[in-house]
């Protein structure tokens, strides 16, 4: 969950003499246990945030900010991230991670 590469973690564990799962087992556990729990938690949290926004008396006056990053000049990005932030409650309410396909201007959801 920390974001480190499993191959580097296994290499460090090997040098330290620690036994650990192999990469295949790690990815199995990540796919079947870890990611579904994280996604479920986010969906419940997001629903609670939306309910909180809806309970605000002047929902029409809720302030929203959005940002997206797909590519920088001179660099080739494989993914784009778009975020929707509610300034009224100071929380990120929604985000999308998109994978850039081979066709210029065409993006697909990663999930």
């Amino acid at each position: 969950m920390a974001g480190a590469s499993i191959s580097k973690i296994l290499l460090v564990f090997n040098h330290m003499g620690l036994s650990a799962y192999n990469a295949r087992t790690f990815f199995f556990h990540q796919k079947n246990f870890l990611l579904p729990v994280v996604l479920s938690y986010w969906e419940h949290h997001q629903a609670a945030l939306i309910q909180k926004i809806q309970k605000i008396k002047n929902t029409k006056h809720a302030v929203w900010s959005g940002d997206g990053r797909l590519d920088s000049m001179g660099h080739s990005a494989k993914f784009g991230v778009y975020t929707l932030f509610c300034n009224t409650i100071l929380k990120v309410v929604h985000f999308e991670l998109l994978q850039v396909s081979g066709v210029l201007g065409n993006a697909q959801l990663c999930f």
Side-chain angles (χ1 to χ4, degrees), residues 7-43:
S7 59
K8 290 182 181 179
I9 295 292
L10 292 175
L11 181 63
V12 169
F13 283 1
N14 186 33
H15 288 307
M16 294 173 65
L18 297 173
S19 65
Y21 294 114
N22 62 22
R24 183 176 173 186
T25 304
F26 170 82
F27 289 119
F28 175 83
H29 284 123
Q30 183 184 47
K31 177 182 175 186
N32 293 301
F33 301 111
L34 180 64
L35 295 179
V37 170
V38 171
L39 182 60
S40 175
Y41 176 82
W42 168 249
E43 289 171 348

Side-chain angles (χ1 to χ4, degrees), residues 38-53:
V38 171
L39 182 60
S40 175
Y41 176 82
W42 168 249
E43 289 171 348
H44 286 97
H45 182 68
Q46 184 181 38
L49 290 174
I50 291 170
Q51 285 181 348
K52 185 176 181 179
I53 294 167

Side-chain angles (χ1 to χ4, degrees), residues 77-94:
K78 184 175 180 180
F79 297 99
V81 179
Y82 298 91
T83 307
L84 188 59
F85 182 81
C86 182
N87 297 355
T88 310
I89 62 170
L90 302 176
K91 301 280 182 181
V92 172
V93 177
H94 186 71

